Amino acid sequence: MPFTFTHLAHPPPSPLREIDDPLWAAARVRLFVKRDELLAPEPDDPFSGNKWRKLQYNLLRIREADRPTLLSFGGPYSNHIAALASAGRHLGIPTIGVIRGEPVRNPTLERAAADGMRLHFVQRGTYRLKDEPAFLEALREELGPFYPLPEGGSNALALRGCFDLGEEILRQLPEAPTHVAVACGTGGTLAGLVTALHRHCHCLGVSVLKGPFMTEAVRDLLARFTGQAWPNWSVVEGYHHGGYAKVSTELTQFMDTFHRRHGILLDQVYTGKLFFALYRLLHQGAFTPGDRVVAIHTGGLQGRPR
Ligand SMILES: *Cc1c(COP(=O)(O)O)cnc(C)c1O
């Protein structure tokens, strides 16, 4: 069935499933997975997970524009760029990807181009100006009119899509969870979840980047898009396995075991690190008997090596 704006406006809830694992049972902590990776319109479609949530309201809004073209920014391996390209193909919206660095070919960008995205490479120094109005103006002169989305897609409408995700989780459980956990790249997904869940549970972000700036990034996004500070969330650092998109043997072994035991594939950039961190935190006694932890599967499966 083709994916349409009707699906986008009225998505059926993604499944929420409990993980049956003796390690968690022994600690009397329940672990659930919110399977947003299954939002993909087609198998292995990059338009899934949190990218689906973050693009949802932006795509619905662009539909109202008279000359809708969506333009966004990303590195050459960006899941956001890949998701935007695919969403554009499904919905018939032209897309432009402004890509950081010298022109390269890789599976992410080849797929984006095959999905109809126009790729526009800019040198690193220029790319840094991506949020400057003058740079957007120069791009408009060169590429024509467009609706810009920030790098990673984290804007106010993206937070709204992630707010819906938080509410959906609350509706799916008879009793609110004690923790909702998500992998953080820009922190936009965590920020949106906090706006829906702060009264019900703690939102826990696992940073996939090296460096202690994620807490600040989330606080900034919340302040910028909601104009206030929010309680009941935190970010854990130290689960990046060497840095963004770096992989350790421990991590790949963990992901293989998890897949074998539970039949759920994880990606090595985000969700693998999230689940790895949760198992470590359990082992360290970070959870209390009776806790109910929901981990969000944010997708990213199209990027895993084959
Ligand atoms: C982009 C991405 C994230 C990070 O989302 P942010 O809102 O930028 O923090 C997490 N998981 C997957 C699979 C992603 O593609």
Side-chain angles (χ1 to χ4, degrees):
M1 227 183 16
F3 185 85
T4 63
F5 277 104
T6 311
H7 293 98
L8 197 64
H10 308 285
S14 72
L16 182 71
R17 171 186 146 187
E18 184 160 6
I19 295 291
D20 182 5
D21 189 316
L23 284 173
W24 291 78
R28 292 200 290 120
V29 180
R30 295 174 74 185
L31 176 66
F32 300 85
V33 187
K34 176 64 171 160
R35 300 203 57 189
D36 263 12
E37 87 278 22
L38 300 176
L39 291 171
E42 294 169 354
D44 265 329
D45 192 324
F47 181 41
S48 84
N50 67 333
K51 300 305 183 285
W52 199 107
R53 301 282 180 179
K54 293 171 84 173
L55 286 170
Q56 179 187 17
Y57 287 106
N58 282 296
L59 291 163
L60 289 168
R61 165 154 311 169
I62 195 69
R63 183 196 194 185
E64 316 292 317
D66 53 348
R67 292 172 71 188
T69 290
L70 271 165
L71 173 142
S72 195
F73 303 88
Y77 291 93
S78 165
N79 283 349
H80 163 65
I81 288 292
L84 179 63
S86 171
R89 172 172 61 85
H90 286 295
L91 297 167
I93 297 173
T95 57
I96 303 173
V98 178
I99 312 299
R100 183 186 64 230
E102 298 298 324
V104 288
R105 289 177 145 265
N106 68 34
T108 304
L109 294 179
E110 264 165 33
R111 178 159 186 174
D115 281 337
M117 176 176 264
R118 175 170 177 191
L119 298 175
H120 183 78
F121 292 88
V122 298
Q123 299 203 330
R124 283 171 172 273
T126 317
Y127 185 84
R128 256 178 243 129
L129 307 173
K130 62 190 182 315
D131 299 320
E132 305 277 334
F135 182 46
L136 288 181
E137 255 338 288
L139 284 175
R140 284 202 173 89
E141 255 161 49
E142 192 174 345
L143 304 168
F146 57 76
Y147 172 97
L149 291 177
E151 186 179 55
S154 294
N155 63 7
L157 291 175
L159 263 61
R160 187 166 148 201
C162 298
F163 174 94
D164 286 2
L165 165 59
E167 297 234 295
E168 195 173 296
I169 292 169
L170 292 176
R171 281 196 299 274
Q172 284 175 305
L173 285 174
E175 211 182 348
T178 53
H179 301 76
V180 170
V182 71
C184 293
T186 64
T189 306
L190 177 62
L193 285 168
V194 168
T195 63
L197 296 172
H198 67 284
R199 269 195 238 98
H200 304 276
C201 69
H202 189 87
C203 291
L204 182 69
V206 172
S207 178
V208 303
L209 303 167
K210 187 150 74 181
F213 41 75
M214 193 57 70
T215 301
E216 185 123 341
V218 175
R219 199 183 293 129
D220 284 354
L221 287 169
L222 283 167
R224 177 145 37 107
F225 297 125
T226 73
Q228 65 179 98
W230 300 76
N232 239 344
W233 62 274
S234 60
V235 173
V236 291
E237 311 275 356
Y239 295 99
H240 52 72
H241 296 259
Y244 179 72
K246 296 281 195 309
V247 181
S248 67
T249 320
E250 255 187 317
L251 177 64
T252 45
Q253 277 171 0
F254 170 83
M255 289 167 54
D256 287 347
T257 308
F258 188 84
H259 179 221
R260 215 172 40 245
R261 294 214 178 124
H262 305 295
I264 296 177
L265 278 169
L266 302 173
D267 81 295
Q268 73 278 14
V269 182
Y270 292 103
T271 53
K273 292 180 182 180
L274 167 69
F275 280 85
F276 183 97
L278 290 176
Y279 274 74
R280 269 298 154 84
L281 290 169
L282 177 76
H283 183 71
Q284 292 162 10
F287 301 112
T288 311
D291 277 357
R292 294 171 301 283
V293 180
V294 176
I296 299 180
H297 196 315
T298 43
L301 295 178
Q302 81 285 346
R304 70 192 198 285
R306 330 254 133 147

